[in-house]
Amino acid sequence: MTTTKSKVVYSPVFTDGAEFRIPTFKLLKQDGKLYKSAKAPDLDKEKALRIYRAMITTRILDERMLAAQRQGRLSFYMQCTGEEAAVIGSAAALDDGDMIMAQYREQGALAYRGFSIDEFMNQLFGNELDYGKGRQMPVHYGSKKLNYMTISSPLATQIPQATGYAYGQKMAGEGHCTITYFGEGAASEGDFHAALNMAAVHRVPVIFLCRNNGYAISTPAAEQFAADGVAPRAYGYKMDVIRVDGNDILAMYEATRAARALAVEHNRPVLIEAMSYRLAAHSSSDDPSGYRSKDEEAVWREKDPILRMRLWLESKKWWSEDDEKKLQESMRREVLETMKRAQKRPPPPLESLVTDVYDEVPPMLAEQFEKLKAHIRRYPDEYPKSAEHAKGGA
Amino acid sequence: MTKMNMLQAINNALDTAMGADERVLCFGEDVGVFGGVFRATSHLQQKYGKARCFNTPLVEQGIIGFANGLAAQGSIPVAEIQFADYIFPAFDQIVNESAKYRYRSGNLFDVGGLTIRAPYGGGIAGGLYHSQSPEAYFAHTPGLKIVVPRNPHQAKGLLLGAIHDPNPTLFFEPKRLYRASVGDVPDEDYRLPLGEAEIIKEGTDVTVLGWGAQLEVIEQAVERAEKDGISCEVIDLRTILPWDVETVANSVFKTGRLVVTHEAPLTGGFAGEIAATIQERCFLYLESPIARVTGMDTPFPLVLEKEHLPNHLKVYEAIRASVEF
Ligand SMILES: Cc1ncc(C[n+]2csc(CCOP(=O)(O)OP(=O)(O)O)c2C)c(N)n1
């Protein structure tokens, strides 16, 4: 038996996928003024400034750390530049107890939640204070305290996990939801489709947030899918969906606030497609000049989401030239000072090589570790400082 | 002959194969106009057009499923998986489909034209998701061939061998060596045989065996051991599946000792399979236990990568221990 209740026709009627067109939700114009019939969300000064500070923090962190990578101080880095509104606007609409499962380019959400510059730096430099114990590449952040699941490099794996996590939240009845971020590239993976289908069938309070930034490394969106973006796929799963101007902080905030209400109060999963642009390179190892034009980038530079929000804040008299200068200066100083500190800290101890593989180090791995220590003791000058304490026979 | 690094040799092999046969197609994430994140497919789209060299959507399962279908139809797909670490979403398509097409259809259908290329291995500060050596997972699967080259000359010859081999083949490229050095590579189409190990250096005291990037490590270790007066026979296995038992056993008959090294973890690693088989074949000739020098039984780390890797010092120690047993 099928569960489809469709109308019957007596000649072959095809429905073209192109018929599914989804409008884009916008509130704020680039000059910081609202569209004519738009109404600003209920956002007080304090929250608006918290959002703005997170945007500036993210932008400055990205600029400084890319420069640090270029100077050879850092092995790798990935920027969020151009997508700050999509990430921070959505994160700000959540409850701090809601779970965030991100892809890797969402440092803005973490900054908004209160991850300190120190915490960012410790991960980036993989030092002894890094929560991930120097095991993962830079930008693979995680924070239990801030409900931010540690990043995993294999793309899209977090999306069905978000469905599962949120189902657990529903069962626990705490009134929380999970948001998961991913790119339009990652949305091609099987995991994405599995996640949406399960969420719709089981009425899971999860928000799927696709950052459609036009590129997956060098692959333009037009070579990623033939449809009108990612949003129409929600129809196929019978799921609520909204497309938003991802550079519009007010629209992102308002859309996510409404999505959260659907998820938490009605157990309806929601897909949000944030239309934006990856202004920076994919990562510090990438050179976009090989696959896109400077002119194309320039068009999007004009749509800077941070400037747009700043103009709105200024129009409300919540922000001034002077505030901006002060914030920028203090943030730059903090980033530089913190970077120096983090860089000087020692790496995690040698033991971290074998811990956390299981809850306890199994005998066989313990034996391998003893052999390694004995080996390092025999060649004390051939191994880096990280093995220092093993040289003494500890 | 042209001096090339390994990436150029791979690019040249693809160019050679595409130039010779219209049925050869190259595709994968970012392989189109950009030439792949490592540039292995540079200029191929410009030269052969978008229909034969193209970007796929970001879905490994789809890439290999698509490639299986294409190969079943009679085309010769060369699919790129951007990093060997990301081959697992395609695991089902490779292990249950590519490997079993011929067997389950009674040879009515096969995907023998399929080649899957993927950069593998550590030593590039890539942490746990850009450093794995997954050959052993696939070595457990009858029906696949697994090939790993050690230098530019081998890379071109073996890749052409893989593309023309009538079986689905995984071609794991040691990315640490991509740009590490250049070597002479013939300009013409030459194919190295799959399933044959190569004795790189003859010796009498101990056989040292590895593949891919580990050969560089073995060379350094052997240099050191020979200074101590130990004569080493060095073998590049080249094909992991099906592997060349004959060449390895004959060498061990002669030397009486075997050291096997790979980057993947010890437990379940392919060195275990080799040790078991050689122990069976050569039991009465062995002068010492077969030694395995491998990565530890942990995920691949970032900061402590150097300690984790089976480097030349660890291989050197194993050679000495084997000889002094
Ligand atoms: C399963 C898997 N395949 C491939 C990769 C390599 N890779 C890392 S990022 C990336 C592009 C992702 O693009 P998108 O999802 O659009 O996000 P964006 O980088 O644009 O923010 C690729 C192919 C990976 N990390 N995981």
Side-chain angles (χ1 to χ4, degrees), chain A residues 78 83 103-105 153-156 182-187 189 211 213-217 224 278 282, chain B residues 29-30 58 60 82-83 86 89 130:
Chain A
M78 293 177 109
E83 299 179 66
Q103 177 159 307
Y104 51 58
R105 207 184 288 290
S153 312
L155 286 166
F182 48 89
E184 85 289 347
E189 294 278 8
R211 294 180 293 94
N213 63 14
Y215 286 88
I217 309 191
Q224 195 66 245
R278 198 193 74 208
H282 167 68
Chain B
E29 292 158 17
D30 300 291
L58 211 172
E60 293 76 12
Q82 200 159 76
F83 285 87
Y86 305 132
H130 293 84

Side-chain angles (χ1 to χ4, degrees), chain A residues 162-213:
Chain A
T163 300
Y165 199 99
Y167 188 77
Q169 288 172 316
K170 172 177 153 180
M171 296 293 282
E174 291 163 353
H176 280 132
C177 69
T178 296
I179 189 167
T180 179
Y181 293 92
F182 48 89
E184 85 289 347
S188 292
E189 294 278 8
D191 278 356
F192 164 86
H193 303 275
L196 266 67
N197 195 29
M198 287 189 75
V201 168
H202 292 286
R203 301 183 55 103
V204 177
V206 54
I207 301 170
F208 300 101
L209 200 147
C210 178
R211 294 180 293 94
N212 187 339
N213 63 14

Side-chain angles (χ1 to χ4, degrees), chain B residues 41-299:
Chain B
T41 54
S42 287
H43 311 304
L44 296 177
Q45 184 172 82
Q46 287 85 332
K47 195 161 170 186
Y48 297 105
K50 263 192 156 177
R52 290 183 61 202
C53 176
F54 50 91
N55 288 335
T56 62
L58 211 172
V59 51
E60 293 76 12
Q61 175 184 36
I63 293 170
I64 304 303
F66 176 88
N68 276 334
L70 248 179
Q73 172 274 339
S75 294
I76 307 178
V78 185
E80 177 177 297
I81 296 293
Q82 200 159 76
F83 285 87
D85 309 69
Y86 305 132
I87 203 166
F88 297 109
F91 202 66
D92 183 42
Q93 280 291 339
I94 298 170
V95 167
N96 276 333
E97 304 302 318
S98 313
K100 299 173 173 77
Y101 238 91
R102 192 190 298 278
Y103 184 79
R104 71 163 180 244
S105 69
N107 208 18
L108 286 182
F109 298 98
D110 70 78
V111 295
L114 171 64
T115 304
I116 302 170
R117 302 179 29 249
Y120 86 94
I124 57 135
L128 58 169
Y129 295 118
H130 293 84
S131 309
Q132 295 174 80
S133 300
E135 70 273 4
Y137 293 104
F138 298 99
H140 197 55
T141 305
L144 300 176
K145 290 198 177 182
I146 305 171
V147 177
V148 191
R150 71 171 184 278
N151 64 26
H153 176 271
Q154 293 282 311
K156 179 174 174 184
L158 287 170
L159 181 51
L160 283 168
I163 291 170
H164 294 101
D165 188 275
N167 295 284
T169 304
L170 294 166
F171 191 78
F172 288 121
E173 301 165 3
K175 59 180 171 288
R176 181 164 86 222
L177 305 188
Y178 266 162
R179 295 190 170 91
S181 60
V182 293
D184 283 326
V185 177
D187 299 312
E188 69 271 11
D189 185 344
Y190 65 100
R191 298 167 195 179
L192 295 173
L194 306 194
E196 285 182 26
E198 188 192 0
I199 299 172
I200 300 181
K201 195 185 112 24
E202 305 219 15
T204 52
D205 296 333
V206 55
T207 303
V208 189
L209 174 69
W211 48 87
Q214 254 343 64
L215 261 300
E216 208 191 29
V217 169
I218 291 175
E219 248 166 62
Q220 280 177 281
V222 162
E223 208 175 288
R224 205 165 169 143
E226 303 230 303
K227 284 201 188 109
D228 298 345
I230 302 172
S231 165
C232 303
E233 179 139 311
V234 177
I235 301 182
D236 176 4
L237 195 60
R238 300 199 295 192
T239 303
I240 311 291
L241 192 71
W243 66 285
D244 184 354
V245 180
E246 243 14 78
T247 300
V248 180
N250 285 337
S251 173
V252 176
F253 285 137
K254 182 171 74 172
T255 63
R257 299 180 181 89
L258 178 62
V259 173
V260 188
T261 177
H262 59 61
E263 281 182 28
L266 180 75
T267 302
F270 199 65
E273 181 60 37
I274 295 171
T277 305
I278 294 302
Q279 182 265 142
E280 238 167 54
R281 289 275 188 119
C282 309
F283 186 66
L284 294 175
Y285 293 79
L286 284 173
E287 308 269 356
S288 62
I290 296 168
R292 292 177 289 167
V293 188
T294 70
M296 300 172 79
D297 281 340
T298 71

Side-chain angles (χ1 to χ4, degrees), chain A residues 42-328:
Chain A
D42 184 14
L43 198 59
D44 61 26
K45 180 179 172 188
E46 192 194 345
K47 190 152 195 173
L49 291 183
R50 181 176 163 193
I51 291 172
Y52 189 67
R53 277 198 197 92
M55 286 173 119
I56 295 291
T57 305
T58 306
R59 183 67 65 91
I60 289 176
L61 184 72
D62 281 4
E63 283 168 7
R64 296 310 318 166
M65 298 326 284
L66 185 74
Q69 195 280 335
R70 295 287 181 250
Q71 296 159 359
R73 290 160 154 226
L74 191 63
S75 59
F76 177 83
Y77 195 75
M78 293 177 109
Q79 295 170 275
C80 171
T81 307
E83 299 179 66
E84 292 90 346
V87 173
I88 300 169
S90 52
L94 303 174
D95 186 290
D96 283 346
D98 294 340
M99 188 50 150
I100 297 179
M101 292 193 172
Q103 177 159 307
Y104 51 58
R105 207 184 288 290
E106 296 87 356
Q107 49 269 52
L110 204 42
Y112 179 82
R113 285 255 166 123
F115 208 58
S116 70
I117 301 290
D118 258 310
E119 291 174 300
F120 278 113
M121 290 296 169
N122 293 335
Q123 197 288 327
L124 291 171
F125 287 98
N127 65 29
E128 62 178 357
L129 297 181
D130 168 21
Y131 301 134
K133 304 183 190 171
R135 290 170 180 148
Q136 291 218 74
M137 281 173 73
V139 315
H140 287 62
Y141 308 111
S143 170
K144 181 111 183 169
K145 186 179 71 196
L146 299 178
N147 289 312
Y148 193 95
M149 186 63 75
T150 301
I151 306 296
S152 168
S153 312
L155 286 166
T157 49
Q158 80 282 9
I159 312 175
Q161 292 170 20
T163 300
Y165 199 99
Y167 188 77
Q169 288 172 316
K170 172 177 153 180
M171 296 293 282
E174 291 163 353
H176 280 132
C177 69
T178 296
I179 189 167
T180 179
Y181 293 92
F182 48 89
E184 85 289 347
S188 292
E189 294 278 8
D191 278 356
F192 164 86
H193 303 275
L196 266 67
N197 195 29
M198 287 189 75
V201 168
H202 292 286
R203 301 183 55 103
V204 177
V206 54
I207 301 170
F208 300 101
L209 200 147
C210 178
R211 294 180 293 94
N212 187 339
N213 63 14
Y215 286 88
I217 309 191
S218 74
T219 305
E223 291 177 36
Q224 195 66 245
F225 39 70
D228 172 34
V230 171
R233 294 180 204 173
Y235 291 152
Y237 296 112
K238 194 173 180 291
M239 188 184 296
D240 293 317
V241 58
I242 186 167
R243 172 174 288 153
V244 187
D245 176 347
N247 286 18
D248 177 342
I249 191 73
L250 298 185
M252 281 305 302
Y253 178 83
E254 181 59 14
T256 314
R257 191 199 55 71
R260 184 181 190 277
L262 283 172
V264 173
E265 290 157 31
H266 305 281
N267 289 314
R268 297 177 70 99
V270 184
L271 174 63
I272 300 176
E273 183 176 28
M275 307 307 289
S276 183
Y277 190 81
R278 198 193 74 208
L279 266 182
H282 167 68
S283 75
S284 56
S285 316
D286 173 43
D287 173 14
S289 71
Y291 55 84
R292 69 186 192 192
S293 70
K294 287 264 170 272
D295 290 351
E296 180 188 306
E297 289 177 31
V299 170
W300 281 91
R301 226 168 277 287
E302 297 284 303
K303 303 183 190 176
D304 190 322
I306 298 189
L307 180 63
R308 196 185 301 185
M309 180 177 196
R310 180 177 160 192
L311 293 171
W312 177 70
L313 289 176
E314 285 177 358
S315 77
K316 309 249 330 167
K317 305 268 182 284
W318 288 351
W319 198 247
S320 70
E321 187 75 43
D322 200 38
D323 294 328
E324 180 76 17
K325 236 177 99 191
K326 274 193 212 137
L327 177 61
Q328 294 255 2

